[in-house]
Every structure is written in C-alpha cells, then in structure tokens.
C-alpha cells in the first residue's frame, strides 16, 4: 500500500483513501499507525480493489459524456462526437478551452431549464478547471462548474446543476436543502455515489493527468 502518515495534533486517528489509491493516515505523535492500519486492512483492501477496477476503466481512453473516446494528437483540439474521437493539441490549455466550449452549452441549457422550474435566478455561469469539487455557488449568485463534468454521463451532470441551483435557496446542506434537491432530482443519493466513482476515474485517467500538468 502507498501510505502517507501525517502527524497532527488530533484527538483521534483517521484513515482516508484518495481517488488515486493513495492511503493517508492522520494521527497524533506517538500513535501506533501500524496497528491502526492492520485493524482497517479488510476495509482498505476492498477500497483499493475497487480503485484498481476503476483504473482499468480509466485507461480505456478519454471520457466524454460517460463514454470513452479515442485520443488523437493534432494541431487543433476538437471533440468529434460522430467518430467518438477527441483531438488533443500540444498544449493543455488549448485542449481545456475546447472541452470548456463543448461543455458550456450543455450546462447553460440545464441551468436555464432547471432555474425556471426551481424558481431561482442565477447570475453568471463559469466553467473552470478545478481539482476539488464538481461545482460551487458564490454568495453573489454566480455558478461555477468544473470542466471535468465533460467526462461524466449527462444525468450526473444534471444532478450537479440541480445541486448548485439549490444553493441559491439554501446555503448549507441542511435537510431543507436535500428535500429541495430531491423534488427535482429524486435519485440524488445514487448520483452522489456515481460521481465519487467518476472522480476516481478522472484522477486515474492519464489524459486528465496531462491536462492537470501531470505526467
């Protein structure tokens, strides 16, 4: 196991498996991390086994709308839906710009349709390359969506839009918030679970690593 131990002034030790399979243990000084890991070995092995399965999926190509496209290296970045191919230029920023351009009208259509149904009025909509969340809603009513949403199935993208629009009424993840989300997207629990898997797929995907400046 790839384990990183972080010594912090915490009361209880905790263990976390990152989407890329790295295990992080946070524990106070002097804590027996080896025994702690052994007690959780069964859970860890199951979690890492799941990530290994997702790794195989992630290496099939570049995900667009939940499907895996063949990647072609070329001069100008372009998504070709008809041929299930995506051209990557030599520069990550140019390819990200094409992915944002492909995603933006899909996001705007969802925002327009759901904002009317939900009785909310968002301000500006931004597509950004973020490393920690699918979307966010600012205190000014602006919506931010991660360009990584270009990779997930359309129904999961739809959930993220509903989630962020709901924040225009409820800032916190309260019961009222989830009740409101459930009125417009009843299967939100299943969507959240599927999105966690897709986040791992994206983290493990070699092309997304390249877009993020990795190797």
């Amino acid at each position: 196991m790839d384990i990183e131990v972080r010594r912090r002034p915490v009361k209880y030790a905790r263990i976390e498996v990152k989407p890329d399979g790295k295990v992080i243990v946070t524990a106070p000084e002097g804590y027996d991390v080896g025994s702690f890991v052994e007690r959780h070995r069964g859970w860890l092995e199951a979690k890492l086994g799941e990530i290994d399965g997702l790794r195989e999926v992630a290496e099939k190509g570049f995900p667009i709308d939940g499907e895996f496209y063949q990647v072609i290296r070329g001069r100008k970045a372009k998504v070709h839906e008809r041929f299930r191919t995506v051209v990557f230029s030599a520069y990550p920023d140019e390819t990200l710009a094409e992915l944002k351009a492909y995603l933006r009208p899909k996001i705007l259509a969802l925002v327009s349709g759901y904002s009317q149904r939900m009785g909310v009025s968002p301000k500006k909509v931004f597509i950004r390359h973020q490393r920690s969340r699918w979307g966010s809603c600012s205190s000014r009513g602006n919506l931010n969506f991660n360009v990584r949403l270009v990779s997930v199935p359309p129904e999961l993208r739809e959930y993220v839009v509903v989630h962020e629009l709901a924040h225009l009424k409820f800032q916190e993840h309260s019961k009222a918030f989830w009740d409101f989300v459930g009125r417009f997207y009843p299967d939100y629990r299943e969507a959240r679970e599927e999105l966690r898997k897709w986040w791992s797929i994206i983290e493990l995907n070699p092309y997304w690593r390249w877009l993020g400046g990795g190797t």
Side-chain angles (χ1 to χ4, degrees):
M1 294 182 190
D2 180 12
I3 300 177
E4 177 184 335
V5 179
R6 297 177 179 176
R7 297 293 182 176
R8 300 285 189 273
V10 295
K11 188 174 182 180
Y12 301 105
R14 62 178 182 269
I15 193 165
E16 177 186 8
V17 179
K18 292 292 187 180
D20 62 358
K22 186 172 187 177
V23 179
I24 296 178
V25 177
T26 304
E29 290 292 340
Y31 189 85
D32 186 352
V33 171
S35 296
F36 181 65
V37 170
E38 281 302 315
R39 289 198 301 273
H40 293 83
R41 179 168 291 277
W43 176 82
L44 281 171
E45 289 178 347
K47 192 72 175 175
L48 292 172
E50 178 184 327
I51 289 174
D52 283 343
L54 294 175
R55 192 187 305 276
E56 292 183 15
V57 173
E59 294 175 351
K60 290 181 178 180
F62 186 79
I64 297 283
D65 297 332
E67 300 182 19
F68 286 86
Y69 282 31
Q70 179 185 1
V71 173
I72 299 172
R73 299 289 180 172
R75 184 179 62 83
K76 184 177 175 58
K78 184 67 177 177
V79 176
H80 295 283
E81 292 181 86
R82 178 181 176 186
F83 302 106
R84 293 293 188 269
T85 59
V86 54
V87 180
F88 273 40
S89 74
Y91 305 100
D93 287 348
E94 291 181 1
T95 304
L96 283 170
E98 167 62 14
L99 295 174
K100 290 177 182 180
Y102 176 85
L103 177 64
R104 186 172 180 80
K106 299 176 185 294
I107 291 290
L108 291 180
L110 289 170
V111 169
S112 176
Y114 272 105
S115 60
Q116 294 181 35
R117 292 173 57 189
M118 296 170 71
V120 295
S121 300
K123 300 294 177 55
K124 297 179 180 179
V125 176
F126 300 97
I127 308 294
R128 306 185 190 278
H129 189 199
Q130 300 169 302
R131 293 301 303 271
S132 61
R133 59 178 65 185
W134 292 112
S136 61
C137 176
S138 75
S139 59
R140 296 183 177 182
N142 297 326
L143 303 180
N144 298 295
F145 294 100
N146 197 330
V147 67
R148 288 181 170 200
L149 287 168
V150 75
S151 287
V152 308
E155 64 271 16
L156 299 183
R157 190 183 301 148
E158 188 173 349
Y159 159 69
V160 175
V161 169
V162 170
H163 183 113
E164 298 309 331
L165 286 172
H167 277 308
L168 294 172
K169 278 187 176 289
F170 305 94
Q171 291 186 350
E172 303 295 330
H173 291 120
S174 61
K175 183 180 184 302
F177 170 85
W178 290 115
D179 287 346
F180 188 62
V181 169
R183 284 171 53 190
F184 302 95
Y185 200 100
D187 296 331
Y188 69 86
R189 291 183 180 86
E190 292 82 355
R192 284 164 58 82
E193 183 62 30
E194 285 300 308
L195 281 171
R196 277 191 283 270
K197 293 178 181 178
W198 274 99
W199 192 270
S200 287
I201 289 171
I202 290 169
E203 285 286 297
L204 296 166
N205 183 266
Y207 300 109
W208 271 114
R209 288 205 301 270
W210 179 79
L211 289 172
T215 55

